[in-house]
Amino acid sequence: MTTRRVRLTADARRGQLVTEATALIARIGYHRFSIKALAEATGLTRAGVLHHVGSKEQLLLDVLTLRDTRDSAALAAAPPDARAALDAIVRRNIGQPEIVRLYTVLAAEALDPAHPAHQYFAARLRDSITAMATLLETRFPGSGEEAAIEIYAYMDGLQLNWLRNPAIDMWHHWTRFADALFAR
């Protein structure tokens, strides 16, 4: 019995490849990820995958762009209040542990300046702190940037520990931290 491959439009196939690559990279990391493994997971040849994605490095950037696009849409739908927006981010992340794992693994791997996503993560951190500081400035006049750095440091650490031990109640720990921060 032969398996029939479903014919997809180029955009649909690219979307399928980015989605599957996201899952694979989240599980095994970028350095262990291969185009061959992606081809096997999607029923394509290595050449077929490369035809749609260009290169492993371009695929990584597409995976990160997809995450950013989805996160930006979720943030745009969140209330303009800083605490409510942060609560929405945490709730969203609790519901997508595979994406949080992907981001965490890639962020750690990209500490190496030779990693293809090194500049992406450096710029994303800078931009995220700036955006969060702007949102926090009315609540923490003159120290919005410091508060943003504290929040990102806490969130990153909490998420890392939650990924290691899913029994950790991320929402409980986040609300305790945020309650104390916003009570200042």
Side-chain angles (χ1 to χ4, degrees):
M1 183 163 133
T2 60
T3 303
R4 289 188 58 178
R5 190 170 59 208
V6 177
R7 202 168 240 327
L8 300 174
T9 65
D11 287 344
R13 179 68 71 193
R14 188 173 183 76
Q16 174 201 26
L17 292 167
V18 171
T19 299
E20 187 62 34
T22 298
L24 284 169
I25 294 169
R27 261 194 326 274
I28 64 173
Y30 175 75
H31 288 299
R32 290 181 37 213
F33 169 80
S34 70
I35 295 295
K36 180 180 181 226
L38 180 58
E40 289 170 2
T42 56
L44 296 175
T45 64
R46 186 176 183 284
V49 169
L50 289 171
H51 169 76
H52 289 284
V53 300
S55 67
K56 181 180 174 182
E57 292 77 13
Q58 182 57 52
L59 181 60
L60 172 63
L61 296 175
D62 291 345
V63 164
L64 294 170
T65 299
L66 176 64
R67 180 186 193 242
D68 286 348
T69 300
R70 289 178 176 165
D71 284 355
S72 294
L75 264 180
D81 168 72
R83 172 65 191 266
L86 288 165
D87 286 352
I89 290 168
V90 172
R91 280 191 188 101
R92 179 171 164 74
N93 285 349
I94 288 169
Q96 56 181 9
E98 187 173 277
I99 299 299
V100 174
R101 181 174 292 105
L102 165 78
Y103 190 81
T104 302
V105 167
L106 286 175
E109 289 180 346
L111 290 171
D112 177 358
H115 191 280
H118 180 79
Q119 290 303 320
Y120 165 86
F121 278 101
R124 188 171 196 281
L125 177 62
R126 229 181 7 259
D127 295 346
S128 295
I129 288 172
T130 299
M132 184 61 66
T134 301
L135 189 61
L136 293 167
E137 195 58 40
T138 56
R139 179 65 184 82
F140 301 97
S143 61
E145 184 174 329
E146 286 180 24
I149 291 169
E150 284 180 41
I151 289 167
Y152 280 117
Y154 184 80
M155 288 174 89
D156 285 350
L158 179 59
Q159 289 177 157
L160 179 63
N161 289 317
W162 172 67
L163 290 169
R164 277 196 188 112
N165 178 3
I168 291 173
D169 184 342
M170 191 158 76
W171 180 250
H172 168 77
H173 291 287
W174 161 252
T175 55
R176 283 189 55 205
F177 170 80
D179 288 348
L181 179 71
F182 283 90
R184 288 194 217 167

